[in-house]
Amino acid sequence: MSKNSKVVKMNKTVRFNAATWVVAAILLYVIICIVLMAAKEPISIYRVSKSNVSNNITLNGIAVRDEQLVQTTKAGYVCYYIRDGEKIMKGSTVCTVDETGNLVNTVNDSEEFEALLTDDDYADIRELISLYKVSYKDETFFEAYNFENNVNNKVLELTNEVMMQQISASEYSNLSGVKSTYSGIVTYYIDGYENYDISKVKASDFDKSKYAKQTLKTGEIVSAGSNIVKIIPDEKWNIVAPITDEQISHLGESEQISFKINNSSYVVYMPYTIINGADGKYINICLDKYLYNYIAERFLTVEIIRDDDEGLKVPNSALVTKDVYKIPVDYLTAGGNQSSENRFNVQRRDENGNIVNTLIEPTIFKIDEEYCYVDPSFFQDTDVLVPKNTISMSSLELVAYDEGNLYAIPLSCLNAGITEDSEITISVQRKKDDGSGMTNAQVDTKVYHIIGEYAYVDSKGFKATDILVEGDASSSIAVSVLEIKKLEGVYLANRGTAEFTFVTIIKTVDEFALIKNGEEINVYDNIILDSSKVVENQVIY
């Protein structure tokens, strides 16, 4: 016998049992899910946080003051006695005019001139330069000319102090004193706004690029009749600024406003008026203090203080609008067990074409004093809304009269104009014989008495389970004619699906919206960052 005759051949056929098929199906499902998840565009979630938005109104205005110019009657070099911003009495000497130039030449030729300047004097000049460097912007390069005038004014001020020391040390002839004709604050610049008429205000007055400020301290010889000093005799002044109708509406009915000037730390409370100019509206704020703080400034920033809005901060990309039905709250009724008032009674055709009354419980996104805002998907176009029904016949008082037992029915449940001893038809909702729902029924009865707000009618023809329709039956509304309202909202993602939730937008600032807190959205809720990436009720995770 051959050796090979003892070899047993194995059956190489692969057999699949039920467990193999189950494992293969699960593995295939996992692979498909992984592929779909990898191909699916990720949905970003945003966590809602608290925020507040300033409602302050910022205006750019000009300072308007009583500014009196003083001229010299003689030509020469001017030596000033009063520092910029100091007060002076009427009749006091403001400066002297050196007709010959002897004093100026003596000071300029003095080798001790620089020695007469203190460290504080040099520090003042360095501070002016440093402040300009910090606030410099290319778009406001025109302010460089004002900076040059300020530095020159400071240097000339220090030079005048040296001249005053020389005058006190020596005697000079041909020095003519210039006395102040007013009491007030002294300043040494002009800009063309000295005789400004507020009643003729116009938009071009606020153009800084065309503003030119000229110092009166030039160090050069002046001619007779030249302006050499400006005196502000009255501490009452005004700030005038352009303002829009919307900004005016936010000021309220008060005749005074609280505001800050140039982002100062203190708040001013002053009266104001509105000027109707030829090219727009302007606010005129009347002040009687802080004049000295802004004596050298013509253009001022006014920040009118208003209460801040507080709420929840959400990105504009999260906002979405939804079409909803706007239904009067009078049609909102309670369920059969009176457990919740979130249902509507509608007349709807059943599968046999019969009109039956049905209670539906739709999603109500918002309820205010007059309307409910309801998800349309719960209604059919052929539905008819009927007024709410909350009165069952069993709850009405049954009173015994000579005519028999009479129901005391509120007049509000009956058609207007009914009278005693009249025959009327009352619409009720009655349970169907098979108990599948409610149907409409008409009960012919008689009104025997009308006392106060009630009509006493014959109880025959009614069933204890009947429900009276509150209001005139003619007030029914076809769903097809309901007003459609666009409701603002976001997609809430707390439960793993994109649930539309309405929000009340308080204010929009840049890329974010401030929404009212305490409605349907709360702090730390998760919402869809980009509402365009999902659809309502989509599974997120």
Side-chain angles (χ1 to χ4, degrees), residues 67 190-196 211-214 230 298:
E67 303 174 20
I190 56 175
D191 57 6
Y193 285 81
E194 283 72 27
N195 297 311
Y196 190 83
Y211 178 69
K213 186 176 181 180
Q214 176 185 351
K230 182 165 65 177
R298 182 64 66 185

Side-chain angles (χ1 to χ4, degrees), residues 302-318:
V302 175
E303 183 181 6
I304 300 175
I305 308 299
R306 298 180 61 237
D307 293 336
D308 292 346
D309 283 330
E310 295 185 355
L312 304 178
K313 180 181 179 182
V314 300
N316 290 336
S317 60

Side-chain angles (χ1 to χ4, degrees), residues 322-480:
K322 180 179 177 64
D323 290 340
V324 297
Y325 282 143
K326 184 178 177 181
I327 303 176
V329 293
D330 293 339
Y331 290 81
L332 190 64
T333 186
N337 57 4
Q338 304 293 308
S339 61
S340 60
E341 293 190 356
N342 61 350
R343 302 184 182 187
F344 291 93
N345 187 32
V346 299
Q347 295 177 343
R348 177 176 292 176
R349 291 189 180 274
D350 61 13
E351 56 186 12
N352 297 320
N354 300 319
I355 296 178
V356 296
N357 279 68
T358 305
L359 281 173
I360 64 172
E361 188 175 350
T363 300
I364 302 175
F365 297 110
K366 178 183 177 182
I367 301 177
D368 57 28
E369 293 181 356
E370 297 184 29
Y371 295 98
C372 308
Y373 300 87
V374 186
D375 191 339
S377 63
F378 289 82
F379 295 89
Q380 298 177 7
D381 290 339
T382 56
D383 287 347
V384 176
L385 282 163
V386 295
K388 65 181 181 181
N389 49 80
T390 57
I391 302 178
S392 63
M393 298 304 298
S394 60
S395 67
L396 293 176
E397 183 181 4
L398 192 61
V399 184
Y401 277 89
D402 293 340
E403 296 86 349
N405 292 328
L406 307 181
Y407 275 125
I409 300 179
L411 293 174
S412 61
C413 296
L414 304 175
N415 292 334
I418 64 171
T419 59
E420 290 186 354
D421 297 324
S422 61
E423 301 287 340
I424 63 172
T425 300
I426 297 179
S427 297
V428 297
Q429 295 177 355
R430 178 168 293 173
K431 284 187 177 180
K432 298 173 70 173
D433 294 337
D434 59 4
S436 60
M438 304 289 289
T439 186
N440 291 336
Q442 306 292 325
V443 177
D444 294 324
T445 186
K446 181 177 181 179
V447 178
Y448 286 102
H449 306 285
I450 296 178
I451 303 174
E453 296 180 356
Y454 293 89
Y456 292 83
V457 304
D458 193 348
S459 61
K460 296 175 183 178
F462 292 100
K463 294 183 178 182
T465 56
D466 287 348
I467 296 177
L468 285 171
V469 175
E470 184 181 354
D472 189 347
S474 63
S475 59
S476 299
I477 302 177
V479 168
S480 59

Side-chain angles (χ1 to χ4, degrees), residues 47 87 92 115 137 207 255 292 351-352 363 380 460:
R47 178 159 291 182
K87 289 187 176 181
S92 300
K137 296 179 181 178
D207 188 353
E255 296 181 354
Y292 178 81
E351 56 186 12
N352 297 320
T363 300
Q380 298 177 7
K460 296 175 183 178

Side-chain angles (χ1 to χ4, degrees), residues 145-179:
Y145 302 105
N146 293 333
F147 164 69
E148 180 185 10
N149 289 333
N150 291 337
V151 173
N152 289 336
N153 190 37
K154 190 64 180 178
V155 173
L156 287 169
E157 185 177 277
L158 298 175
T159 303
N160 283 321
E161 290 182 2
V162 174
M163 290 184 181
M164 290 169 62
Q165 295 175 29
Q166 295 296 321
I167 292 174
S168 61
S170 306
E171 292 184 0
Y172 290 90
S173 59
N174 299 319
L175 292 180
S176 301
V178 178
K179 297 185 180 297

